[in-house]
Amino acid sequence: MRELNHREHRLTLTALRDSALPTAGGRFPLGLLPTLLTTLAPQWWEYSGAAYGKVSYEATGYESHANSALIDNPDTFTRAAVYATQHLAVAYAPDPVRTEQYGPGHEDHLEHTVAVEVERTYSESLHRLTDGSLITLDAGTLFVRLTIGEGPQVRRPSNWRFGLTGHRTPDHSLTTVDYADCVAAASAAFTRAAREAAQ
């Protein structure tokens, strides 16, 4: 991938500014993200001028990530992003320490970042679409990537700490749910979005 040219960078910054997100992305409570992404993901797709898109989930401090297949329409792009946040909430909900400390619905307070990048392929390359088929993208094909990441840090119940974590409180930034479970949840969300797109 290459860096954005001036026009592409300006379009991305305009989309972020219009949506009230910082240029580097924004950090939001998980409970707000489904509504936020339902509104903004199609706008980002339109602003980017992209023919394709991808949605990614990156767990804090964990090497494995979840990535959607290549998406060819804004509706599936939006569903993949929204479903990822919903599936993450389901994964966090059973956390026994958070449930004891904060009660039901504690997962809605966990903060995650959202970032959007516009990229181009360097050369002709083969990609898998959400329907499972393969497509060859020409060099210079534009696509938009939406990344959900930098969620809570994982603590073992015996090592749960109270007080500030940087500028964030444990209510917003700590969980005992394993990173691998979050990656699996996001992967399941991308599969769900792809399955619905094929119906």
Side-chain angles (χ1 to χ4, degrees):
M1 304 301 170
R2 66 161 178 79
E3 293 183 358
L4 304 182
N5 65 34
H6 178 71
R7 177 180 177 276
E8 294 160 356
H9 189 64
R10 188 177 70 252
L11 286 172
T12 302
L13 292 182
T14 299
L16 293 172
R17 185 179 63 248
D18 288 355
S19 61
L21 289 179
T23 56
R27 186 180 297 278
F28 300 93
L30 191 58
L32 295 180
L33 281 176
T35 299
L36 186 72
L37 292 174
T38 296
T39 301
L40 295 179
Q43 293 181 22
W44 288 331
W45 180 289
E46 180 181 357
Y47 270 113
S48 73
Y52 300 96
K54 288 187 176 183
V55 181
S56 300
Y57 168 71
E58 299 181 355
T60 302
Y62 189 68
E63 292 183 0
S64 181
H65 308 305
N67 298 287
S68 73
L70 191 68
I71 298 168
D72 61 3
N73 65 84
D75 290 340
T76 303
F77 180 72
T78 301
R79 279 199 299 267
V82 171
Y83 289 171
T85 62
Q86 293 173 338
H87 281 231
L88 285 169
V90 171
Y92 290 128
D95 186 325
V97 176
R98 290 187 59 83
T99 299
E100 180 182 355
Q101 294 295 322
Y102 309 117
H106 62 83
E107 65 274 11
D108 289 345
H109 303 288
L110 289 168
E111 293 180 342
H112 291 68
T113 57
V114 176
V116 180
E117 299 174 286
V118 183
E119 303 173 347
R120 284 184 187 272
T121 54
Y122 273 133
S123 58
E124 183 178 278
S125 52
L126 193 65
H127 295 261
R128 187 171 300 279
L129 288 167
T130 53
D131 64 3
S133 64
L134 295 174
I135 184 173
T136 299
L137 297 185
D138 295 331
T141 300
L142 194 69
F143 69 92
V144 57
R145 182 188 300 275
L146 189 157
T147 301
I148 301 164
E150 293 189 31
Q153 297 176 2
V154 175
R155 294 283 191 275
R156 294 182 179 179
S158 58
N159 293 333
W160 187 267
R161 297 178 182 177
F162 298 96
L164 295 178
T165 304
H167 297 293
R168 304 164 67 195
T169 64
D171 182 25
H172 297 112
S173 63
L174 295 182
T175 183
T176 63
V177 175
D178 192 77
Y179 294 127
D181 294 332
C182 297
V183 172
S187 294
F190 300 150
T191 300
R192 175 186 170 194
R195 185 172 61 246
E196 291 184 8
Q199 293 177 350

